Amino acid sequence: ANQHIPQIIGAMEMYAATGEQTWWKIGVHFWDIATKRHAYCVGGVGETEMFHAPNSTTRFLTDKAAESCASYNLLRLTGQLFAYDPEGGRMDYYENTLLNHILTSCSHTADGGTTYFLPLGPGGQKTYSTVENTCCHGTGMESRYRFMEHIYAQDDEAVYVNLPVPSRLSGEYDLDVEVSEEGLLTVRTGRTLEKKLRLHIPAWAKDGCTVSLNGSRIPVCECGCGGGTGSDSAAGKEASLFAVRWHKGYLELPAGLAAGDAVSVQLPMGIRELDNSSDNSFANLAYGPYILAELSDDKEFRTLPKKDVIRRTGGELLFEADGRKMIPLARVDKENYHTYWKR
């Protein structure tokens, strides 16, 4: 897998250099194949480093699933495609893979340890290498310094906030992003924003999110025309300024946000059940963007807990279902865990 992904990265470099549409089509077609037919729930691909048959990931839930290098390079490819086609579906994949594979592959101590494969079989356990001379160790160390990439982007029309990462964009635009575990995304402007502001809303959150400006709810135009007003717009502003519309997976606010404005989006956090379209006998659980893992050393697949019995038991994303403990996969260190359940 990781032999071929860099070839496609090279094809995109050829497209950048020549403008030949064949190279672009190669990049788009490969990305669609890899992310839609070969990706595990964490966004990673490959088992024993190999692509297998399409839509067969649940046949390869082993200790040698989801090679870290492959995710690293698929994120590079995603960034290349996004530069020419900035649409939310690409950032859906990017966000999921960043939060549930790249972040998960990092040692919990400051020793530079990284995972080669990510075990996805029942009762798997991560191994962090600090001495192996492998591609995953090299890219794994580099990944820690790539977390800032693609949080923001810009084009002639807009500034994009692509990822829910607490951060600060200094310089020309001066934006500050805050994100809470309760799913509240807040973007504050340090100066007047002369461009539109586009906030990526992941596909799982689109139907239930709400938008506020300086504490006041503002309407979202579902028709995509950019129209619509609301009487509850922030005081002192023209209502039409705050008619928010959907744009290719983003909430788009018109240009003109002033210094000190705060745009907040409440994402509908909650337990989600992820279907495996190619094998409906397996399912995954997530809380908001985070894939959940049940802590257990059972070497047999466990039965999927019912959503209505899952309870949050602590302030740090701890969950329990009839005595079964679950946490985000990225917070699993060396415990044994399950991320795939049998229905």
Side-chain angles (χ1 to χ4, degrees), residues 16 49 66 68 89 107 229 248 258 337-338:
E49 298 189 354
S68 298
S107 170
T229 61
K248 299 175 71 173
Y337 61 90
H338 293 241

Side-chain angles (χ1 to χ4, degrees), residues 65-264:
E67 183 187 2
S68 298
C69 261
S71 286
Y72 166 90
N73 279 317
L74 275 172
L75 292 190
R76 289 179 62 197
L77 175 60
T78 303
Q80 288 176 307
L81 294 169
F82 182 86
Y84 296 97
D85 182 22
E87 59 93 16
R90 304 214 189 280
M91 282 299 142
D92 284 339
Y93 174 78
Y94 198 105
E95 176 184 317
N96 180 55
T97 307
L98 183 72
L99 296 181
N100 294 303
H101 192 193
I102 298 298
L103 188 60
T104 292
S105 68
C106 180
S107 170
H108 288 217
T109 58
D111 59 5
T114 62
T115 62
Y116 190 159
F117 298 112
L118 181 63
L120 292 176
Q125 184 182 39
K126 291 188 281 185
T127 300
Y128 308 107
S129 172
T130 58
V131 297
E132 282 185 341
N133 184 25
T134 65
C135 55
C136 287
H137 190 215
T139 58
M141 293 179 70
E142 186 179 345
S143 287
R144 310 310 145 209
Y145 298 92
R146 294 174 61 90
F147 284 135
M148 69 184 73
E149 288 196 300
H150 302 298
I151 299 174
Y152 304 97
Q154 67 167 324
D155 58 22
D156 291 341
E157 290 187 343
V159 178
Y160 296 74
V161 178
N162 292 324
L163 300 170
V165 178
S167 55
R168 173 77 182 277
L169 178 64
S170 59
E172 180 181 359
Y173 300 113
D174 196 5
L175 299 179
D176 186 81
V177 174
E178 301 171 3
V179 186
S180 76
E181 287 189 343
E182 306 305 324
L184 182 63
L185 170 67
T186 301
V187 180
R188 302 181 190 277
T189 55
R191 63 182 66 186
T192 299
L193 189 60
E194 303 295 341
K195 292 184 176 182
K196 298 174 183 178
L197 178 64
R198 290 175 180 160
L199 308 179
H200 174 241
I201 305 300
W204 60 263
K206 180 178 178 180
D207 290 339
C209 70
T210 58
V211 190
S212 301
L213 178 75
N214 300 330
S216 298
R217 283 279 297 274
I218 53 178
V220 177
C221 179
E222 297 292 343
C223 65
C225 65
T229 61
S231 59
D232 57 349
S233 296
K237 307 283 188 179
E238 293 183 9
S240 61
L241 174 64
F242 300 106
V244 181
R245 74 183 186 106
W246 289 107
H247 176 84
K248 299 175 71 173
Y250 286 77
L251 283 176
E252 179 184 273
L253 283 82
L257 288 171
D261 279 343
V263 180
S264 297

Side-chain angles (χ1 to χ4, degrees), residues 121-124 294-303 336-338:
E294 179 182 352
L295 302 182
S296 169
D297 60 4
D298 191 345
K299 294 302 181 182
E300 300 293 330
F301 285 106
R302 295 172 67 78
T303 302
N336 297 90
Y337 61 90
H338 293 241

